[in-house]
Amino acid sequence: MSADDPESTDLREEIARNQETIDRLNHDLAKRTNDVRIIQQISTEITSTLDLGEVLEIVLGAMERVLGFRHSMLLLAEPAGDALVVAATRGYAQPAATARIRIGEGVIGVVAERRIPMRVGNVGASLRYMQAIRASMQAVGQAPAGDDVVTLPGLPDVQSQLALPLLVKDRLVGVLAVESPKPNAFDELDEILLRIVSNQAATAIDNARTYEMVDRLGRLKRFFSPHLAE
């Protein structure tokens, strides 16, 4: 069988295709193994402390160091259940814990309200559209009371956003959000990884807040009666 024989050519092409398939499968297997290692690493770090501030920093630190997300924020649900407050940020110039957002408002508020992740690939266009609608309503005096633009820490040139609810069973603990200046920066795999991390983070944050509350109650009982402390 000569090198120019059609059967020989077909055989070489089939071998090449098989090798490509094998290489792709090996790459996917290596990536899945690495993903498992990443989740295990983050889980170990998150559950290593009951200090709320440390938990928040560990989660956001893992976002950048392990998953490569440079801009992230954690918002926690307020006791009244009608708003979120920024508790920690990473990669932004604005300080944390200075902004609130109502449940149901914007991407993050909708994520909190519906308890579902949201992935947006063209945030700039969406923001311009919403601002135009808001300006039109304000011009004719139809904007709802208190319907001001929410100033959250964020990128001035943000293009992509991925936000996930932090849930313990059906109870909302907060929202984890990551951003990027690149359009369509987050894919389905990013969402899957962050969904697993958000589940771990929700439990760790909830445990830390409970520990903080119990510790505060214990200190109050040293100075007040148990009934008054409660």
Side-chain angles (χ1 to χ4, degrees):
M1 183 182 294
S2 66
D4 295 331
D5 188 87
E7 292 185 9
S8 177
T9 301
D10 291 343
L11 180 59
R12 289 199 302 272
E13 290 178 351
E14 184 177 354
I15 292 174
R17 286 194 298 270
N18 290 339
Q19 187 59 51
E20 288 178 0
T21 301
I22 293 172
D23 291 342
R24 185 172 64 253
L25 290 175
N26 286 334
H27 177 269
D28 291 343
L29 179 61
K31 194 173 191 318
R32 288 178 181 273
T33 302
N34 188 56
D35 291 342
V36 171
R37 182 189 60 78
I38 287 172
I39 296 303
Q40 291 174 338
Q41 179 180 344
I42 294 176
S43 176
T44 300
E45 292 182 5
I46 290 175
T47 57
S48 64
T49 178
L50 283 172
D51 182 274
L52 180 59
E54 290 182 5
V55 171
L56 298 178
E57 286 303 314
I58 288 172
V59 173
L60 296 189
M63 292 297 97
E64 179 177 10
R65 189 184 70 260
V66 183
L67 297 178
F69 301 135
R70 296 179 57 196
H71 308 284
S72 58
M73 70 181 80
L74 275 164
L75 301 93
L76 299 183
E78 292 190 331
D82 60 347
L84 300 163
V85 62
V86 176
T89 65
R90 196 173 187 89
Y92 301 115
Q94 300 97 320
T98 59
R100 293 173 70 253
I101 183 169
R102 290 190 294 273
I103 302 294
E105 185 174 81
V107 172
I108 291 174
V110 170
V111 167
E113 181 179 53
R114 299 183 182 178
R115 311 297 208 263
I116 58 172
M118 286 187 67
R119 182 161 28 111
V120 183
N122 193 352
V123 176
S126 300
L127 287 176
R128 288 191 295 271
Y129 174 75
M130 293 303 298
Q131 288 169 354
I133 295 296
R134 193 186 304 274
S136 298
M137 294 178 67
Q138 289 176 340
V140 296
Q142 294 181 354
D147 191 30
D148 298 326
V149 176
V150 178
T151 304
L152 288 173
L155 296 171
D157 56 347
V158 60
Q159 289 296 324
S160 301
Q161 188 176 53
L162 174 57
L164 300 97
L166 303 178
L167 302 172
V168 173
K169 296 184 179 179
D170 293 328
R171 180 166 50 84
L172 179 71
V173 175
V175 172
L176 169 63
V178 294
E179 293 183 334
S180 173
K182 299 178 180 179
N184 302 308
F186 308 116
D187 57 20
E188 185 177 0
L189 179 58
D190 293 324
E191 185 173 326
I192 291 172
L193 288 175
L194 282 185
R195 192 191 295 264
I196 298 172
V197 172
S198 67
N199 289 337
Q200 301 275 358
T203 301
I205 290 170
D206 194 55
N207 288 340
R209 295 180 88 175
T210 300
Y211 176 80
E212 189 177 76
M213 181 179 64
V214 171
D215 181 64
R216 186 181 299 120
L217 179 60
R219 284 185 278 113
L220 284 173
K221 285 182 177 180
R222 281 184 278 171
F223 301 99
F224 303 99
S225 68
H227 176 73
L228 185 58
E230 291 282 359

